[in-house]
Amino acid sequence: ALFDRLAEYRSAQVPLRTGVYVPAEDNANVTGGWRFSPAGADPPVGADVDQRNAILSFDVRAANLDLTVRRGDFWGVFSVSIDGGPANGLPRDEQGRSYLVLHDPAGQTEQVPVARGLDARGPHHVEIVAHGGWGQWPLVSWTVHELPAAAPDPFSMWSFAALAVVSAVAA
């Protein structure tokens, strides 16, 4: 029983923390024949958002998420959801799904803000469903980051300064 529990724990997907991640089978769950390389991830031929036959998903524990995509002169779209709902940094289609267009004749690589202001304490499930775009390696990486540290309030700064002066005089 202990061995089974340890094997289950080892195979469980650990939420990704702050960092940049190149898609790979060790940091994402996939449905369909996604291909991986140092260039990123390529969805399978026939990827269709309505058939949900090309899904890449992972869990994060952070407040913000960006996707770095390689756009080009091809037709393709990623539908992105966070915790089963639309990603708040992307536009929505007529069905309410958030989407990221991959077509750009200039062929630029771009970091796109996908989600902002997530609760950094709880894990969030991210799901990317591809529609088209195969043979183009459109998903380069994703960046998970926590909110920047808040600046100290003026009262705390003045209190610290007064304490430092009093300590210096006492010394």
Side-chain angles (χ1 to χ4, degrees):
L2 177 60
F3 178 78
D4 291 340
R5 294 287 293 159
L6 288 172
E8 179 182 320
Y9 175 77
R10 188 177 189 295
S11 67
Q13 190 75 25
V14 176
L16 303 174
R17 302 294 296 219
T18 299
V20 178
Y21 298 88
V22 174
E25 291 178 341
D26 64 340
N27 62 16
N29 298 313
V30 295
T31 300
W34 286 82
R35 296 183 301 161
F36 300 100
S37 81
D42 189 44
V45 173
D48 187 304
V49 71
D50 292 323
Q51 293 180 16
R52 297 182 51 81
N53 61 356
I55 303 170
L56 188 145
S57 65
F58 51 92
D59 293 331
V60 297
R61 187 179 304 277
N64 301 324
L65 175 69
D66 299 334
L67 292 181
T68 301
V69 294
R70 181 177 296 107
R71 292 184 165 147
D73 194 12
F74 62 90
W75 189 85
V77 175
F78 286 152
S79 175
V80 182
S81 66
I82 311 288
D83 296 331
N88 64 17
L90 297 173
R92 296 182 188 174
D93 65 11
E94 53 278 350
Q95 283 89 19
R97 298 179 294 213
S98 54
Y99 65 92
L100 174 59
V101 175
L102 301 171
H103 176 78
D104 179 9
Q108 300 295 315
T109 299
E110 181 181 358
Q111 188 172 13
V112 180
V114 171
R116 293 289 181 262
L118 300 173
D119 181 1
R121 293 172 294 163
H124 300 283
H125 185 69
V126 179
E127 187 175 87
I128 302 168
V129 182
H131 191 88
W134 54 84
Q136 305 298 321
W137 300 89
L139 183 57
V140 176
S141 66
W142 54 81
T143 305
V144 179
H145 40 136
E146 297 175 19
L147 291 175
D153 64 291
F155 176 76
S156 297
M157 289 176 32
W158 284 108
S159 298
F160 180 74
L163 181 61
V165 169
V166 168
S167 297
V169 168

